[in-house]
Amino acid sequence: MYYLYHIPGKKIGVTRDLNTRVTLIQGYKENEYEVLEQSDDIDYISDREIELQKSYGYKVDRKPYKHLFNKMNINATEQTSTFPCPLNKLKGRLTDNIGLTWQTDHGQFEITKRTISWIMANAKESMYNRNRSYVYNKAFYEAFLDTKHTPKPKYKTSVEKIPNRFELIRIWAKDRGLYDKGNSHTQYVKLMEEAGELAQAILKQDKPEVQDAIGDMVVVLTNLAELEGFTIEDCIDSAYTEISTRRGKMHNGTFVKETL
């Protein structure tokens, strides 16, 4: 579904993901924009975007949305996959191309909500062209497709089914100076912000946002643990060791541990 949105006094645009494109990327809350139309027809919604941009007196896009969408040509070489846009616009373009696949020497890659998060954490700006960005194919393969050499998890938890994810988070944070210049206090504040977003998503029964918020909290907790001199794996193991032999019963939807 394509959404034609309007930010009063600012712009009219099209997206497939309002929350990511308008709220997370552009910073506008739900009450600060409106959806004018929605359609499964990319040709219709592209033409209406241009028509309404002219009607409202906004700057008219040089290229219709449908042409931007169709031009997400990913160039795959032996080592990298290069995207035809700069880093600051990559998340929006990826979001608009969810479902797109491309072939590499390591197999077929696909743009999904899950792979978008990884791409944004690992993408680098091209040293030859600032309007291009890229990721390493082998790293992508190992994160999502390599199951042959992935050790079987000791406990069948959803976190441990994702190979090397915590280490990728730490590499991402270290590359951006979070451990050198950040501190536990700011990470705790960030955790509370993410918890608030999770609460809103649960109240709205917005499953995609619940998933994103939980993922964001895991990232923050991973970094918070590192700043405190632990690893998130240490913390999980410690917690599991404590609860593994715990007994109790459910009461009003909550597990209440047995007291001696």
Side-chain angles (χ1 to χ4, degrees):
M1 182 66 68
Y2 301 99
Y3 299 93
L4 183 62
Y5 65 90
H6 175 216
I7 303 173
K10 301 293 184 181
K11 65 176 291 186
I12 285 176
V14 173
T15 184
R16 296 177 67 184
D17 189 329
L18 288 166
N19 182 67
T20 298
R21 170 71 82 171
V22 186
T23 302
L24 297 182
I25 296 178
Q26 299 184 45
Y28 292 97
K29 299 178 182 179
E30 289 185 8
N31 61 351
E32 295 179 315
Y33 68 89
E34 59 183 338
V35 176
L36 299 177
E37 293 185 34
Q38 60 187 60
S39 174
D40 290 323
D41 188 337
I42 191 173
D43 293 315
Y44 169 78
I45 211 71
S46 296
D47 292 341
R48 282 293 287 164
E49 178 188 27
I50 300 298
E51 180 182 339
L52 291 178
Q53 284 174 342
K54 293 178 180 178
S55 175
Y56 279 73
Y58 293 129
K59 180 180 178 181
V60 178
D61 291 341
R62 288 181 296 176
K63 293 182 179 181
Y65 175 80
K66 59 184 177 182
H67 290 169
L68 292 175
F69 181 83
N70 291 333
K71 283 189 175 292
M72 186 64 168
N73 295 321
I74 302 173
N75 180 35
T77 64
E78 180 181 355
Q79 291 191 344
T80 64
S81 289
T82 300
F83 307 100
C85 59
L87 279 175
N88 63 345
K89 295 185 178 180
L90 181 57
K91 189 170 185 178
R93 291 296 302 278
L94 291 172
T95 300
D96 288 338
N97 283 269
I98 286 178
L100 178 67
T101 61
W102 72 100
Q103 197 66 35
T104 74
D105 290 348
H106 293 277
Q108 181 173 281
F109 294 172
E110 181 179 2
I111 297 176
T112 65
K113 283 196 171 184
R114 184 179 164 203
T115 59
I116 286 175
S117 297
W118 183 91
I119 291 172
M120 292 309 302
N122 294 276
K124 301 180 183 298
E125 181 182 279
S126 171
M127 61 185 297
Y128 305 107
N129 187 339
R130 296 184 63 183
N131 290 319
R132 293 182 177 276
S133 48
Y134 67 94
V135 293
Y136 286 104
N137 294 332
K138 189 175 187 303
F140 189 108
Y141 166 76
E142 291 181 348
F144 295 100
L145 302 179
D146 184 11
T147 58
K148 182 178 180 180
H149 301 294
T150 301
K152 293 182 179 180
K154 184 177 180 181
Y155 307 113
K156 294 182 179 180
T157 64
S158 58
V159 171
E160 291 174 319
K161 289 179 182 177
I162 306 174
N164 304 320
R165 193 65 77 245
F166 295 128
E167 187 58 32
L168 288 172
I169 293 172
R170 287 189 285 264
I171 292 172
W172 170 85
K174 184 176 181 180
D175 287 345
R176 286 154 179 78
L178 192 149
Y179 298 147
D180 293 331
K181 300 178 182 179
N183 59 64
S184 300
H185 296 154
T186 56
Q187 286 302 300
Y188 178 77
V189 171
K190 180 65 175 174
L191 181 63
M192 294 301 99
E193 292 176 354
E194 300 297 350
E197 293 185 6
L198 176 60
Q200 291 181 8
I202 291 174
L203 289 174
K204 294 179 180 179
Q205 297 184 340
D206 189 334
K207 293 296 185 181
E209 283 307 301
V210 169
Q211 182 183 42
D212 287 346
I214 291 174
D216 288 340
M217 292 178 71
V218 171
V219 170
V220 176
L221 285 170
T222 301
N223 293 328
L224 180 55
E226 189 74 12
L227 287 165
E228 286 294 308
F230 306 106
T231 68
I232 191 69
E233 294 94 330
D234 292 336
C235 298
I236 293 173
D237 288 344
S238 176
Y240 181 80
T241 299
E242 182 179 343
I243 68 172
S244 60
T245 58
R246 182 177 294 170
R247 296 184 178 182
K249 60 182 180 180
M250 294 297 295
H251 180 71
N252 293 332
T254 300
F255 180 81
V256 180
K257 67 179 180 178
E258 188 176 273
T259 57
L260 299 178

